[in-house]
Amino acid sequence: MAAHRKDRRLGGLKMSVNKVSSTKHYIFEILTVIIMFAGFFMPENNVLPHYGMQVLFIFIGLVVGWSVVGLIMPSILGLIALAFTDAFTIKSVWAAGFGSEIVILIILFCVFSKWLENVGFTDTLVNWFLSRKCFYGKPWLFITCFFLVVFALAFFASTFPAIFIGWACAYKICEVLGYEKRSPFCGFLVFNIAALGIMGSGCKPWSAWGLAALNAYNQAVPDGIISYGDYMLFYVVVYFTATALTILFGKFVMKIDVTPFVNGDYRQAARDYHFDRTQKFACVLMLGMIVGLFIPGYLPACALKTLLKNLGTIGIISVVLLIAGGINMANGKPFLDFKKVASHDAIPWDPIMLLSATVPLGSALKADEAGIMNLVAGFAMNHMEGLSPIIFYISIAVFLGLLTQIAHNLVLLAAFTPMFCTVGIALGMSPELITMIASIMLTAALGSPAGSTRSGMLFGNSEYITLGDCYKLGWFSLLAHVIACCAIGIPLGMLLF
């Protein structure tokens, strides 16, 4: 009887908690709706025209909704709200969002990345690396190279496969060596894997993050081009510097205990691997895709250069998927079953819906009829005029680095980067360097649960990392990014761009 009464009390407590959570969710939804449509009822003023007030409040409502409700439902609401403005209809706003190049590229590249994961290519890469004998008795060399594997895995696949596979390997390593869950060592690995996931993926100009950054740049500079080579060089140098600082922090400040490496055989964490025919085929396609994306900018005028330029990024990845799906294995089935792969969580709907809303929103924010960009540019001209280029770039790095800890980084990338580029152009600064600084700093969004999808995953992984370590490592990571970006990235960028 006593146990029965206890179960009833626990059940009642859970129902109360769920009811409070649901009530809070509904309050946040109502608040989002009120903010998003408030601009339609604002009186005329001397600051912004009526259309500008509508767009501004839709933007604020989206930021609030994305932060406290989710990414998909507020994005749909934002598209509906934009359809009520004078510049859009319901058909045009959805066409502008889903018909944008960025959305098409994300879908195609995510299908390809999921296929790499499904055929075991990413597993093989990690397991091969973990089985090497050269790391025995050299813990910090192992940690450094393990981080490089995660970086490479994110580069070859994408952010989340790298994080989940990296976390699985980290858990096994801790188990084999006798580290407890939530220990400083375990937390250090878990945190940095989450950080490296976006580093490896983001350094690809054709990744979802890279495409979002270049799309934001082209909103301010429609005909501008940031070459893939310069983009990747900037990212790799800054990211490697920030990662080196983080490793030094773990070794000399946190003073993580690595003595179990001396006697432990951490190679047991490596699963059996076999580089089979399908994985070799996937590797060839991936390398071919990378070559096809890189070489047009470095080829002399010729038919191949013309062909690759006409294909563009969408065409090249389409050809890769066509080859993978058009060639059959020995069992008669295609190497890539597009329908099967795409239906198994390959499509990241959160960023797709967010970008579908930000593409038409971005055009509305920068429209002359809205007056918002003129207002921001005027404010910046008054307060930033006379700053040296280096101080101007440092100010952007620090401001965005702090802001992204409380607002979703993808939101800030899509909405604020074009504004800063426009202001920078007016002040004679490089919009290319501004874009690179913004995209780098906004990936350091791990200092709070609201900063990014990865930070939400990280703070939610309480089984393996403490809340204190999340905050401590998150804010040091931000500091490392600021130092790397300002000390290395800005001088490098002033040479490249």
mmCIF file of all heavy atoms in Angstrom, residues 106-141:
data_model
loop_
_atom_site.group_PDB
_atom_site.id
_atom_site.type_symbol
_atom_site.label_atom_id
_atom_site.label_comp_id
_atom_site.label_asym_id
_atom_site.label_seq_id
_atom_site.Cartn_x
_atom_site.Cartn_y
_atom_site.Cartn_z
ATOM 1 N N ILE A 106 21.685 22.239 -49.035
ATOM 2 C CA ILE A 106 21.668 21.540 -47.749
ATOM 3 C C ILE A 106 21.047 20.158 -47.910
ATOM 4 O O ILE A 106 21.560 19.159 -47.390
ATOM 5 C CB ILE A 106 20.905 22.370 -46.693
ATOM 6 C CG1 ILE A 106 21.731 23.594 -46.284
ATOM 7 C CG2 ILE A 106 20.591 21.526 -45.462
ATOM 8 C CD1 ILE A 106 21.015 24.522 -45.331
ATOM 9 N N ILE A 107 19.942 20.075 -48.637
ATOM 10 C CA ILE A 107 19.277 18.786 -48.830
ATOM 11 C C ILE A 107 20.201 17.803 -49.553
ATOM 12 O O ILE A 107 20.382 16.656 -49.120
ATOM 13 C CB ILE A 107 17.965 18.974 -49.616
ATOM 14 C CG1 ILE A 107 16.948 19.736 -48.755
ATOM 15 C CG2 ILE A 107 17.398 17.631 -50.046
ATOM 16 C CD1 ILE A 107 15.674 20.123 -49.490
ATOM 17 N N LEU A 108 20.826 18.241 -50.640
ATOM 18 C CA LEU A 108 21.664 17.340 -51.427
ATOM 19 C C LEU A 108 22.902 16.897 -50.665
ATOM 20 O O LEU A 108 23.257 15.706 -50.650
ATOM 21 C CB LEU A 108 22.065 18.022 -52.738
ATOM 22 C CG LEU A 108 20.928 18.325 -53.720
ATOM 23 C CD1 LEU A 108 21.464 19.059 -54.950
ATOM 24 C CD2 LEU A 108 20.199 17.057 -54.139
ATOM 25 N N PHE A 109 23.575 17.844 -50.011
ATOM 26 C CA PHE A 109 24.794 17.494 -49.281
ATOM 27 C C PHE A 109 24.497 16.641 -48.055
ATOM 28 O O PHE A 109 25.296 15.777 -47.681
ATOM 29 C CB PHE A 109 25.562 18.751 -48.876
ATOM 30 C CG PHE A 109 26.479 19.259 -49.952
ATOM 31 C CD1 PHE A 109 26.235 20.452 -50.585
ATOM 32 C CD2 PHE A 109 27.582 18.522 -50.341
ATOM 33 C CE1 PHE A 109 27.072 20.925 -51.580
ATOM 34 C CE2 PHE A 109 28.433 18.977 -51.335
ATOM 35 C CZ PHE A 109 28.175 20.184 -51.956
ATOM 36 N N CYS A 110 23.367 16.865 -47.413
ATOM 37 C CA CYS A 110 23.024 16.063 -46.240
ATOM 38 C C CYS A 110 22.695 14.623 -46.637
ATOM 39 O O CYS A 110 23.013 13.690 -45.896
ATOM 40 C CB CYS A 110 21.856 16.697 -45.485
ATOM 41 S SG CYS A 110 22.344 18.150 -44.520
ATOM 42 N N VAL A 111 22.087 14.430 -47.789
ATOM 43 C CA VAL A 111 21.846 13.068 -48.277
ATOM 44 C C VAL A 111 23.178 12.373 -48.538
ATOM 45 O O VAL A 111 23.384 11.207 -48.161
ATOM 46 C CB VAL A 111 20.981 13.095 -49.551
ATOM 47 C CG1 VAL A 111 20.956 11.721 -50.222
ATOM 48 C CG2 VAL A 111 19.562 13.524 -49.219
ATOM 49 N N PHE A 112 24.113 13.077 -49.157
ATOM 50 C CA PHE A 112 25.424 12.499 -49.433
ATOM 51 C C PHE A 112 26.158 12.163 -48.134
ATOM 52 O O PHE A 112 26.755 11.086 -47.998
ATOM 53 C CB PHE A 112 26.253 13.468 -50.280
ATOM 54 C CG PHE A 112 27.604 12.938 -50.661
ATOM 55 C CD1 PHE A 112 27.729 11.839 -51.497
ATOM 56 C CD2 PHE A 112 28.759 13.535 -50.185
ATOM 57 C CE1 PHE A 112 28.978 11.345 -51.853
ATOM 58 C CE2 PHE A 112 30.011 13.047 -50.532
ATOM 59 C CZ PHE A 112 30.123 11.950 -51.372
ATOM 60 N N SER A 113 26.112 13.074 -47.151
ATOM 61 C CA SER A 113 26.780 12.838 -45.874
ATOM 62 C C SER A 113 26.169 11.648 -45.144
ATOM 63 O O SER A 113 26.877 10.844 -44.533
ATOM 64 C CB SER A 113 26.701 14.093 -44.996
ATOM 65 O OG SER A 113 27.388 15.177 -45.592
ATOM 66 N N LYS A 114 24.851 11.536 -45.193
ATOM 67 C CA LYS A 114 24.181 10.405 -44.544
ATOM 68 C C LYS A 114 24.570 9.099 -45.206
ATOM 69 O O LYS A 114 24.734 8.065 -44.525
ATOM 70 C CB LYS A 114 22.663 10.604 -44.615
ATOM 71 C CG LYS A 114 21.867 9.563 -43.834
ATOM 72 C CD LYS A 114 22.100 9.715 -42.337
ATOM 73 C CE LYS A 114 21.232 8.746 -41.547
ATOM 74 N NZ LYS A 114 21.446 8.890 -40.091
ATOM 75 N N TRP A 115 24.742 9.116 -46.526
ATOM 76 C CA TRP A 115 25.164 7.913 -47.233
ATOM 77 C C TRP A 115 26.564 7.490 -46.789
ATOM 78 O O TRP A 115 26.827 6.301 -46.565
ATOM 79 C CB TRP A 115 25.122 8.150 -48.736
ATOM 80 C CG TRP A 115 25.588 6.984 -49.557
ATOM 81 C CD1 TRP A 115 25.048 5.729 -49.589
ATOM 82 C CD2 TRP A 115 26.697 6.964 -50.459
ATOM 83 N NE1 TRP A 115 25.744 4.922 -50.461
ATOM 84 C CE2 TRP A 115 26.759 5.657 -51.014
ATOM 85 C CE3 TRP A 115 27.629 7.923 -50.869
ATOM 86 C CZ2 TRP A 115 27.736 5.292 -51.937
ATOM 87 C CZ3 TRP A 115 28.589 7.557 -51.799
ATOM 88 C CH2 TRP A 115 28.643 6.257 -52.326
ATOM 89 N N LEU A 116 27.486 8.463 -46.638
ATOM 90 C CA LEU A 116 28.830 8.149 -46.156
ATOM 91 C C LEU A 116 28.771 7.475 -44.790
ATOM 92 O O LEU A 116 29.521 6.532 -44.509
ATOM 93 C CB LEU A 116 29.680 9.423 -46.057
ATOM 94 C CG LEU A 116 30.086 10.106 -47.351
ATOM 95 C CD1 LEU A 116 30.891 11.368 -47.043
ATOM 96 C CD2 LEU A 116 30.905 9.173 -48.236
ATOM 97 N N GLU A 117 27.873 7.954 -43.953
ATOM 98 C CA GLU A 117 27.710 7.349 -42.632
ATOM 99 C C GLU A 117 27.119 5.943 -42.740
ATOM 100 O O GLU A 117 27.577 5.008 -42.066
ATOM 101 C CB GLU A 117 26.804 8.236 -41.772
ATOM 102 C CG GLU A 117 26.564 7.703 -40.371
ATOM 103 C CD GLU A 117 25.540 8.524 -39.617
ATOM 104 O OE1 GLU A 117 25.082 9.554 -40.139
ATOM 105 O OE2 GLU A 117 25.181 8.099 -38.495
ATOM 106 N N ASN A 118 26.119 5.768 -43.583
ATOM 107 C CA ASN A 118 25.432 4.486 -43.694
ATOM 108 C C ASN A 118 26.324 3.374 -44.235
ATOM 109 O O ASN A 118 26.208 2.211 -43.824
ATOM 110 C CB ASN A 118 24.192 4.624 -44.580
ATOM 111 C CG ASN A 118 23.072 5.381 -43.900
ATOM 112 O OD1 ASN A 118 23.134 5.660 -42.707
ATOM 113 N ND2 ASN A 118 22.043 5.727 -44.662
ATOM 114 N N VAL A 119 27.211 3.707 -45.180
ATOM 115 C CA VAL A 119 28.078 2.669 -45.758
ATOM 116 C C VAL A 119 29.264 2.351 -44.857
ATOM 117 O O VAL A 119 30.066 1.465 -45.169
ATOM 118 C CB VAL A 119 28.582 3.070 -47.163
ATOM 119 C CG1 VAL A 119 27.421 3.281 -48.113
ATOM 120 C CG2 VAL A 119 29.483 4.310 -47.106
ATOM 121 N N GLY A 120 29.389 3.074 -43.737
ATOM 122 C CA GLY A 120 30.436 2.774 -42.773
ATOM 123 C C GLY A 120 31.752 3.468 -43.027
ATOM 124 O O GLY A 120 32.748 3.185 -42.346
ATOM 125 N N PHE A 121 31.785 4.396 -43.986
ATOM 126 C CA PHE A 121 33.047 5.071 -44.285
ATOM 127 C C PHE A 121 33.552 5.867 -43.093
ATOM 128 O O PHE A 121 34.742 5.842 -42.763
ATOM 129 C CB PHE A 121 32.870 5.992 -45.495
ATOM 130 C CG PHE A 121 34.093 6.803 -45.815
ATOM 131 C CD1 PHE A 121 35.169 6.246 -46.482
ATOM 132 C CD2 PHE A 121 34.178 8.135 -45.427
ATOM 133 C CE1 PHE A 121 36.303 6.996 -46.755
ATOM 134 C CE2 PHE A 121 35.302 8.895 -45.710
ATOM 135 C CZ PHE A 121 36.372 8.321 -46.371
ATOM 136 N N THR A 122 32.662 6.568 -42.408
ATOM 137 C CA THR A 122 33.085 7.387 -41.274
ATOM 138 C C THR A 122 33.553 6.510 -40.119
ATOM 139 O O THR A 122 34.529 6.836 -39.438
ATOM 140 C CB THR A 122 31.928 8.290 -40.820
ATOM 141 O OG1 THR A 122 30.750 7.500 -40.660
ATOM 142 C CG2 THR A 122 31.647 9.368 -41.841
ATOM 143 N N ASP A 123 32.876 5.402 -39.872
ATOM 144 C CA ASP A 123 33.322 4.477 -38.825
ATOM 145 C C ASP A 123 34.712 3.931 -39.115
ATOM 146 O O ASP A 123 35.571 3.842 -38.234
ATOM 147 C CB ASP A 123 32.341 3.303 -38.710
ATOM 148 C CG ASP A 123 31.145 3.652 -37.848
ATOM 149 O OD1 ASP A 123 31.224 4.638 -37.102
ATOM 150 O OD2 ASP A 123 30.125 2.957 -37.935
ATOM 151 N N THR A 124 34.940 3.561 -40.366
ATOM 152 C CA THR A 124 36.233 3.007 -40.754
ATOM 153 C C THR A 124 37.357 4.007 -40.519
ATOM 154 O O THR A 124 38.435 3.661 -40.020
ATOM 155 C CB THR A 124 36.208 2.591 -42.235
ATOM 156 O OG1 THR A 124 35.268 1.531 -42.404
ATOM 157 C CG2 THR A 124 37.579 2.130 -42.707
ATOM 158 N N LEU A 125 37.110 5.255 -40.852
ATOM 159 C CA LEU A 125 38.125 6.288 -40.665
ATOM 160 C C LEU A 125 38.518 6.412 -39.202
ATOM 161 O O LEU A 125 39.705 6.428 -38.854
ATOM 162 C CB LEU A 125 37.583 7.630 -41.184
ATOM 163 C CG LEU A 125 38.509 8.835 -41.005
ATOM 164 C CD1 LEU A 125 39.756 8.693 -41.852
ATOM 165 C CD2 LEU A 125 37.772 10.132 -41.355
ATOM 166 N N VAL A 126 37.522 6.470 -38.317
ATOM 167 C CA VAL A 126 37.803 6.622 -36.884
ATOM 168 C C VAL A 126 38.499 5.387 -36.332
ATOM 169 O O VAL A 126 39.511 5.484 -35.622
ATOM 170 C CB VAL A 126 36.495 6.888 -36.112
ATOM 171 C CG1 VAL A 126 36.734 6.813 -34.607
ATOM 172 C CG2 VAL A 126 35.945 8.256 -36.476
ATOM 173 N N ASN A 127 37.982 4.217 -36.641
ATOM 174 C CA ASN A 127 38.528 2.996 -36.070
ATOM 175 C C ASN A 127 39.945 2.704 -36.535
ATOM 176 O O ASN A 127 40.761 2.180 -35.775
ATOM 177 C CB ASN A 127 37.612 1.818 -36.406
ATOM 178 C CG ASN A 127 36.290 1.909 -35.675
ATOM 179 O OD1 ASN A 127 36.233 2.398 -34.552
ATOM 180 N ND2 ASN A 127 35.221 1.460 -36.304
ATOM 181 N N TRP A 128 40.222 3.027 -37.784
ATOM 182 C CA TRP A 128 41.608 2.852 -38.268
ATOM 183 C C TRP A 128 42.557 3.713 -37.460
ATOM 184 O O TRP A 128 43.625 3.280 -37.032
ATOM 185 C CB TRP A 128 41.692 3.220 -39.740
ATOM 186 C CG TRP A 128 43.101 3.127 -40.280
ATOM 187 C CD1 TRP A 128 43.709 2.029 -40.806
ATOM 188 C CD2 TRP A 128 44.071 4.182 -40.312
ATOM 189 N NE1 TRP A 128 45.002 2.332 -41.167
ATOM 190 C CE2 TRP A 128 45.258 3.648 -40.878
ATOM 191 C CE3 TRP A 128 44.065 5.516 -39.925
ATOM 192 C CZ2 TRP A 128 46.410 4.407 -41.062
ATOM 193 C CZ3 TRP A 128 45.220 6.279 -40.110
ATOM 194 C CH2 TRP A 128 46.370 5.725 -40.667
ATOM 195 N N PHE A 129 42.162 4.947 -37.212
ATOM 196 C CA PHE A 129 43.037 5.877 -36.514
ATOM 197 C C PHE A 129 43.263 5.425 -35.073
ATOM 198 O O PHE A 129 44.375 5.506 -34.546
ATOM 199 C CB PHE A 129 42.414 7.277 -36.537
ATOM 200 C CG PHE A 129 43.405 8.373 -36.294
ATOM 201 C CD1 PHE A 129 44.075 8.971 -37.341
ATOM 202 C CD2 PHE A 129 43.672 8.811 -35.010
ATOM 203 C CE1 PHE A 129 44.990 9.981 -37.126
ATOM 204 C CE2 PHE A 129 44.586 9.818 -34.785
ATOM 205 C CZ PHE A 129 45.242 10.406 -35.838
ATOM 206 N N LEU A 130 42.200 4.959 -34.420
ATOM 207 C CA LEU A 130 42.316 4.581 -33.016
ATOM 208 C C LEU A 130 43.142 3.318 -32.805
ATOM 209 O O LEU A 130 43.581 3.050 -31.686
ATOM 210 C CB LEU A 130 40.920 4.376 -32.420
ATOM 211 C CG LEU A 130 40.067 5.636 -32.263
ATOM 212 C CD1 LEU A 130 38.695 5.259 -31.730
ATOM 213 C CD2 LEU A 130 40.728 6.644 -31.350
ATOM 214 N N SER A 131 43.382 2.546 -33.833
ATOM 215 C CA SER A 131 44.126 1.292 -33.692
ATOM 216 C C SER A 131 45.628 1.459 -33.904
ATOM 217 O O SER A 131 46.367 0.472 -33.857
ATOM 218 C CB SER A 131 43.582 0.248 -34.676
ATOM 219 O OG SER A 131 43.817 0.666 -36.012
ATOM 220 N N ARG A 132 46.098 2.671 -34.126
ATOM 221 C CA ARG A 132 47.528 2.880 -34.362
ATOM 222 C C ARG A 132 48.324 2.716 -33.060
ATOM 223 O O ARG A 132 47.906 3.148 -31.988
ATOM 224 C CB ARG A 132 47.784 4.261 -34.942
ATOM 225 C CG ARG A 132 47.085 4.571 -36.260
ATOM 226 C CD ARG A 132 47.380 3.558 -37.336
ATOM 227 N NE ARG A 132 46.357 2.517 -37.390
ATOM 228 C CZ ARG A 132 46.457 1.430 -38.120
ATOM 229 N NH1 ARG A 132 47.534 1.199 -38.845
ATOM 230 N NH2 ARG A 132 45.492 0.535 -38.108
ATOM 231 N N LYS A 133 49.504 2.129 -33.167
ATOM 232 C CA LYS A 133 50.346 1.862 -32.001
ATOM 233 C C LYS A 133 51.169 3.070 -31.542
ATOM 234 O O LYS A 133 51.683 3.080 -30.423
ATOM 235 C CB LYS A 133 51.307 0.713 -32.319
ATOM 236 C CG LYS A 133 50.608 -0.607 -32.625
ATOM 237 C CD LYS A 133 51.623 -1.691 -32.944
ATOM 238 C CE LYS A 133 50.927 -3.018 -33.254
ATOM 239 N NZ LYS A 133 51.919 -4.091 -33.564
ATOM 240 N N CYS A 134 51.288 4.079 -32.383
ATOM 241 C CA CYS A 134 52.198 5.189 -32.081
ATOM 242 C C CYS A 134 51.727 6.049 -30.908
ATOM 243 O O CYS A 134 52.491 6.880 -30.408
ATOM 244 C CB CYS A 134 52.384 6.068 -33.315
ATOM 245 S SG CYS A 134 50.851 6.766 -33.953
ATOM 246 N N PHE A 135 50.472 5.865 -30.448
ATOM 247 C CA PHE A 135 49.949 6.706 -29.382
ATOM 248 C C PHE A 135 50.159 6.117 -27.988
ATOM 249 O O PHE A 135 49.853 6.767 -26.998
ATOM 250 C CB PHE A 135 48.445 6.949 -29.598
ATOM 251 C CG PHE A 135 48.121 7.588 -30.900
ATOM 252 C CD1 PHE A 135 47.208 6.995 -31.759
ATOM 253 C CD2 PHE A 135 48.739 8.767 -31.294
ATOM 254 C CE1 PHE A 135 46.900 7.582 -32.972
ATOM 255 C CE2 PHE A 135 48.435 9.347 -32.510
ATOM 256 C CZ PHE A 135 47.524 8.763 -33.350
ATOM 257 N N TYR A 136 50.653 4.876 -27.922
ATOM 258 C CA TYR A 136 50.773 4.239 -26.614
ATOM 259 C C TYR A 136 51.724 5.028 -25.715
ATOM 260 O O TYR A 136 52.861 5.311 -26.082
ATOM 261 C CB TYR A 136 51.269 2.803 -26.761
ATOM 262 C CG TYR A 136 51.303 2.050 -25.451
ATOM 263 C CD1 TYR A 136 50.129 1.567 -24.891
ATOM 264 C CD2 TYR A 136 52.503 1.852 -24.773
ATOM 265 C CE1 TYR A 136 50.137 0.891 -23.689
ATOM 266 C CE2 TYR A 136 52.527 1.181 -23.574
ATOM 267 C CZ TYR A 136 51.339 0.711 -23.027
ATOM 268 O OH TYR A 136 51.354 0.057 -21.823
ATOM 269 N N GLY A 137 51.248 5.393 -24.527
ATOM 270 C CA GLY A 137 52.069 6.124 -23.567
ATOM 271 C C GLY A 137 52.226 7.597 -23.879
ATOM 272 O O GLY A 137 52.995 8.293 -23.213
ATOM 273 N N LYS A 138 51.510 8.105 -24.882
ATOM 274 C CA LYS A 138 51.596 9.525 -25.247
ATOM 275 C C LYS A 138 50.187 10.120 -25.222
ATOM 276 O O LYS A 138 49.566 10.333 -26.272
ATOM 277 C CB LYS A 138 52.229 9.684 -26.628
ATOM 278 C CG LYS A 138 53.644 9.107 -26.714
ATOM 279 C CD LYS A 138 54.181 9.158 -28.129
ATOM 280 C CE LYS A 138 55.564 8.527 -28.218
ATOM 281 N NZ LYS A 138 56.083 8.529 -29.609
ATOM 282 N N PRO A 139 49.668 10.371 -24.040
ATOM 283 C CA PRO A 139 48.251 10.753 -23.920
ATOM 284 C C PRO A 139 47.875 12.021 -24.653
ATOM 285 O O PRO A 139 46.837 12.066 -25.328
ATOM 286 C CB PRO A 139 48.049 10.902 -22.410
ATOM 287 C CG PRO A 139 49.422 11.085 -21.845
ATOM 288 C CD PRO A 139 50.333 10.304 -22.725
ATOM 289 N N TRP A 140 48.673 13.064 -24.559
ATOM 290 C CA TRP A 140 48.275 14.328 -25.194
ATOM 291 C C TRP A 140 48.452 14.286 -26.699
ATOM 292 O O TRP A 140 47.731 14.961 -27.433
ATOM 293 C CB TRP A 140 49.034 15.506 -24.578
ATOM 294 C CG TRP A 140 48.528 15.800 -23.196
ATOM 295 C CD1 TRP A 140 49.112 15.493 -22.015
ATOM 296 C CD2 TRP A 140 47.269 16.404 -22.875
ATOM 297 N NE1 TRP A 140 48.314 15.884 -20.962
ATOM 298 C CE2 TRP A 140 47.174 16.447 -21.458
ATOM 299 C CE3 TRP A 140 46.212 16.907 -23.630
ATOM 300 C CZ2 TRP A 140 46.068 16.977 -20.796
ATOM 301 C CZ3 TRP A 140 45.112 17.436 -22.979
ATOM 302 C CH2 TRP A 140 45.048 17.467 -21.584
ATOM 303 N N LEU A 141 49.374 13.457 -27.178
ATOM 304 C CA LEU A 141 49.467 13.230 -28.617
ATOM 305 C C LEU A 141 48.226 12.490 -29.100
ATOM 306 O O LEU A 141 47.648 12.821 -30.144
ATOM 307 C CB LEU A 141 50.724 12.421 -28.949
ATOM 308 C CG LEU A 141 50.881 12.011 -30.418
ATOM 309 C CD1 LEU A 141 50.995 13.235 -31.311
ATOM 310 C CD2 LEU A 141 52.103 11.100 -30.586
#
